[in-house]
Amino acid sequence: MIDGVRKFILSGIALVAAGFLILGIWTAWLHLADPMTQLHREYGDVSAVTDSMYTVQFPSENRIYRDITLESSGMPIRITVSSPETSSGRLPVLIILGGLEIGRASLRYIEEPGNNILISYEYPYSPEYWYENPGITELSDIRQAVLEIPAQVSTLIQWTSSQSWADASRMSVLGYSFGALFLPSSLRYTQESGLTIPYSVLAYGGADIYSLLYANMKKVPEPARSMGAWILSSVIYPVEPAEHIPHLAGSFFVINGTQDDKIPESSWRQLQQHLPEPKTIHNINRAHMHPNKPELTRYLVQQSREWLLDKGAINR
């Protein structure tokens, strides 16, 4: 009887050890594999399969909004395009990758859009989901969704550059919070597709996905917190900003908060240090941005606007 129990316990220990070994090998492979190879997607021609147009009133002007679903090889890309009610010719374009508020919702903070085209992008998953600490059974779905983003953003950029209303020489991409996390891999993917974005804004972003996830898993006790952050960061490692920022070209405006409890200082300093020149860095004594802090979001948008105006990237 005792020998049987001992064999059962030893078998259980061996099984757990084997599981951890397999997990360790798998996560190590995810880190060593070429990120761009894992991000690569074969897409064909892009077409708009839905296009809903309506007017939105602003204090100083009316804007035409279009909720569009683009499709390429069966992949849907959902966007909202905001343009002046009266305009002609090619206009500067700002593509926005938001944080918790995405798609059309992210446009409400831009109170002075001016004579420019704004495009907000909707991720293939809800950013709020990340704050719910998803379980290990959902890792495959998370990986699939996250690894689609660079290809989707690149496809959106290339589609936009071909539109008759877009001035491709004055195109910028603005990433806020989650958007700043995905922007480096998206920009690199776009560059390797033959198109370089001249102006980019990274607000409240950072490098080292492990430290970012660990900082945001405060409710998870150790050692599950460290293990969970490691596994999840390995699963989505192909979008790790540190892998992509050294390869980027263009001009960059970087904003971070010195009191940010979501992005560790080591993380945002790593991003700022390794991002190529020319770059403008603006650190503010504030915590992380959030929908319940609309005044901070408007400040970040205003700072971004002033930098883009100074670069001649947008119209007033």
Side-chain angles (χ1 to χ4, degrees):
M1 178 68 176
I2 294 175
D3 288 342
V5 172
R6 183 181 295 112
K7 288 181 180 179
F8 177 79
I9 293 174
L10 290 175
S11 298
I13 293 173
L15 183 63
V16 172
F20 276 111
L21 178 60
I22 293 171
L23 182 62
I25 294 173
W26 179 57
T27 54
W29 176 84
L30 291 173
H31 278 264
L32 292 173
D34 178 18
M36 295 306 295
T37 299
Q38 297 180 69
L39 294 175
H40 182 70
R41 301 288 187 274
E42 289 288 350
Y43 294 137
D45 295 335
V46 183
S47 60
V49 294
T50 65
D51 189 343
S52 176
M53 184 181 298
Y54 50 96
T55 302
V56 175
Q57 293 184 338
F58 279 71
S60 59
E61 63 172 316
N62 288 339
R63 304 280 295 184
I64 302 299
Y65 274 36
R66 296 168 61 193
D67 293 332
I68 300 175
T69 301
L70 303 174
E71 190 171 279
S72 178
S73 301
M75 173 189 67
I77 305 173
R78 295 177 178 84
I79 62 173
T80 297
V81 179
S82 166
S83 59
E85 188 175 41
T86 57
S87 63
S88 61
R90 297 180 180 272
L91 296 178
V93 179
L94 297 84
I95 296 177
I96 302 164
L97 312 184
L100 288 180
E101 292 184 292
I102 60 175
R104 183 174 55 192
S106 63
L107 294 176
R108 66 189 180 95
Y109 295 101
I110 304 176
E111 299 174 339
E112 299 179 78
N115 195 31
N116 306 287
I117 303 291
L118 310 180
I119 301 178
S120 61
Y121 165 71
E122 185 173 332
Y123 304 112
Y125 70 97
S126 171
E128 292 182 359
Y129 183 71
W130 290 79
Y131 285 89
E132 299 173 2
N133 298 322
I136 194 169
T137 58
E138 297 155 317
L139 292 182
S140 178
D141 292 339
I142 293 172
R143 176 178 169 83
Q144 180 177 350
V146 169
L147 268 56
E148 290 284 350
I149 293 173
Q152 286 200 4
V153 173
S154 178
T155 301
L156 167 58
I157 290 172
Q158 294 181 65
W159 174 82
T160 301
S161 67
S162 69
Q163 301 305 300
S164 60
W165 38 260
D167 182 352
S169 67
R170 300 172 74 192
M171 185 180 297
S172 55
V173 183
L174 291 67
Y176 296 91
S177 189
F178 279 106
L181 173 65
F182 298 119
L183 187 52
S185 55
S186 299
L187 291 176
R188 186 180 179 192
Y189 196 109
T190 302
Q191 286 179 195
E192 297 202 358
S193 299
L195 182 62
T196 297
I197 296 298
Y199 310 100
S200 300
V201 174
L202 296 96
Y204 279 82
D208 185 3
I209 293 177
Y210 169 81
S211 68
L212 295 174
L213 290 169
Y214 185 85
N216 287 275
M217 296 173 67
K218 295 181 177 66
K219 296 181 180 180
V220 180
E222 292 289 5
R225 181 180 182 184
S226 297
M227 185 180 298
W230 172 254
I231 293 172
L232 189 52
S233 65
S234 299
V235 166
I236 62 173
Y237 190 76
V239 299
E240 167 61 65
E243 288 284 347
H244 303 287
I245 51 181
H247 303 276
L248 301 183
S251 296
F252 304 96
F253 182 48
V254 188
I255 311 175
N256 283 105
T258 59
Q259 304 301 316
D260 195 338
D261 63 335
K262 301 294 185 183
I263 312 292
E265 182 175 349
S266 61
S267 176
W268 56 261
R269 288 203 182 277
Q270 182 179 351
L271 173 69
Q272 294 181 1
Q273 179 182 355
H274 295 290
L275 196 66
E277 298 284 356
K279 59 188 174 186
T280 301
I281 295 174
H282 181 43
N283 293 326
I284 58 177
N285 186 29
R286 299 293 294 272
H288 197 74
M289 61 185 300
H290 192 276
N292 63 13
K293 303 174 184 176
E295 75 290 343
L296 174 58
T297 302
R298 291 188 176 92
Y299 173 80
L300 298 174
V301 168
Q302 183 61 28
Q303 292 296 304
S304 303
R305 180 176 182 272
E306 291 180 6
W307 181 79
L308 291 168
L309 281 170
D310 182 65
K311 294 295 182 182
I314 60 173
N315 298 323
R316 289 192 179 277

